[in-house]
Amino acid sequence: LKPHSGTIQYIQPKSSFNLLYINITTLNYTKDITIKINFNSPLLTLLSEITMLFSFYFYYLFLKFYNSNFRLTWLIILLGYLILAPFFGQRYDMYFMLTSPLRIIKHINPFIGNEMMPGGLKWAYPPLFLIYGILFYTVLHYFGLNFDPSFTYLVTSGYEYSAWRGFYNPELPLLFFLEKLPLIISTFIIYWLFLKKFNFQYSKIELEKFWLLNPLIILIGTVWGQFDMLSLLSMILSIYFFLKDRTDLASIFATIGAFIKIFPVILIP
């Protein structure tokens, strides 16, 4: 895979190792480094699993004894979310979500497989989140950050699940951050709704532990990059307005959620 070459080649990775290409460039010096990483090493697998087990255990202990009475703890947690967002992501899903708006900009229908896009890369969700992607690419273009989406239609059938390896750009952390920003905002709005608008018998500390610091909540949106939180926020707002006898607003928010991901549609009947 040569991200800067004229012809991008999508190469299926071998199961025994992966190659990491690093280019170091300064004003008067350039150096290419290739590192072979062996993923079949039993020692590496064992150390990874032990590290994860200990991480889970210590995180559980942290939650068990968590007892912060500081009023602005949520701001510290928010900072942690914002730090994680640019540097983590499920690479195939992030490629899929970040390139689909680019296809629309290039007048390629992301809902129908064609010669420019194998069926495995079709947009599998309702269309509303795509509009957000188009908007932030438009803003980036205004500030002079342009992304040539030509690689999105160079993918041949059979290589759609390794095509993310061609999605290379120095601004990739910025794209990850922008894609996840509405997910993070939604997570904290839900926390505020639980705390202020619903009559839950939970304290601020308990909501921080069971919602904001919940590892599944952090993983799904801020780390992985899935946008379930946007639909969930719409779903919760729909329930809130229904309890307030505002069925008009309840229907609107359920519909908005269903146009992001389909599951809030169950509230409409």
Side-chain angles (χ1 to χ4, degrees), residues 76-88 177 184 222:
I76 300 173
I77 300 173
L78 174 61
L79 179 61
Y81 273 65
L82 296 175
I83 290 172
L84 287 173
F87 305 111
F88 293 90
F177 180 81
I184 295 172
T222 306

Side-chain angles (χ1 to χ4, degrees), residues 5 15 28 30-31 43 55 69 73 87-88 90 106 108 111 119 121 124 128 150 177 179 201 204 214 259:
S5 66
S15 59
N28 299 313
T30 183
K31 177 69 176 177
L43 180 60
S55 299
N69 290 312
T73 303
F87 305 111
F88 293 90
Q90 208 285 342
K106 285 297 260 189
I108 299 172
F111 296 97
L121 290 176
L128 199 54
S150 60
F177 180 81
E179 193 271 341
Q201 301 302 311
K204 169 182 170 293
N214 186 323
F259 271 90

Side-chain angles (χ1 to χ4, degrees), residues 33-194:
I33 302 171
T34 302
I35 302 172
K36 181 183 289 188
I37 305 173
N38 188 349
F39 287 113
N40 276 351
S41 167
L43 180 60
L44 181 62
T45 303
L46 181 62
L47 287 175
S48 299
E49 292 179 354
I50 291 173
T51 301
M52 284 191 294
L53 286 173
F54 273 97
S55 299
F56 290 140
Y57 175 71
F58 284 115
Y59 193 76
Y60 167 77
L61 289 180
F62 164 73
L63 290 180
K64 182 177 177 63
F65 295 105
Y66 175 81
N67 189 26
S68 174
N69 290 312
F70 181 50
R71 282 185 56 198
L72 299 179
T73 303
W74 66 272
L75 273 178
I76 300 173
I77 300 173
L78 174 61
L79 179 61
Y81 273 65
L82 296 175
I83 290 172
L84 287 173
F87 305 111
F88 293 90
Q90 208 285 342
R91 286 298 303 274
Y92 171 76
D93 277 2
M94 293 299 293
Y95 162 80
F96 171 75
M97 287 184 282
L98 287 169
T99 56
S100 292
L102 289 174
R103 291 188 178 93
I104 293 178
I105 292 171
K106 285 297 260 189
H107 309 290
I108 299 172
N109 189 336
F111 296 97
I112 301 174
N114 52 61
E115 69 277 3
M116 294 185 176
M117 183 185 66
L121 290 176
K122 290 191 298 183
W123 183 256
Y125 305 105
L128 199 54
F129 194 71
L130 283 172
I131 296 173
Y132 169 71
I134 294 169
L135 288 175
F136 82 64
Y137 277 121
T138 303
V139 172
L140 290 176
H141 176 75
Y142 177 80
F143 287 102
L145 293 172
N146 298 306
F147 299 89
D148 180 10
S150 60
F151 54 79
T152 63
Y153 54 82
L154 291 175
V155 185
T156 56
S157 182
Y159 290 91
E160 51 264 48
Y161 295 107
S162 59
W164 60 267
R165 296 171 178 272
F167 188 42
Y168 174 87
N169 197 287
E171 285 79 29
L172 204 57
L174 174 62
L175 294 181
F176 275 32
F177 180 81
L178 290 174
E179 193 271 341
K180 294 174 181 178
L181 188 58
L183 318 181
I184 295 172
I185 293 171
S186 298
T187 302
F188 281 80
I189 292 176
I190 292 171
Y191 163 73
W192 180 81
L193 288 170
F194 285 165

Side-chain angles (χ1 to χ4, degrees), residues 7-27:
T7 302
I8 297 176
Q9 299 174 336
Y10 297 98
I11 304 171
Q12 292 281 17
K14 295 182 179 179
S15 59
S16 58
F17 65 88
N18 204 348
L19 294 179
L20 175 65
Y21 297 95
I22 302 173
N23 175 264
I24 302 171
T25 304
T26 63
L27 188 61

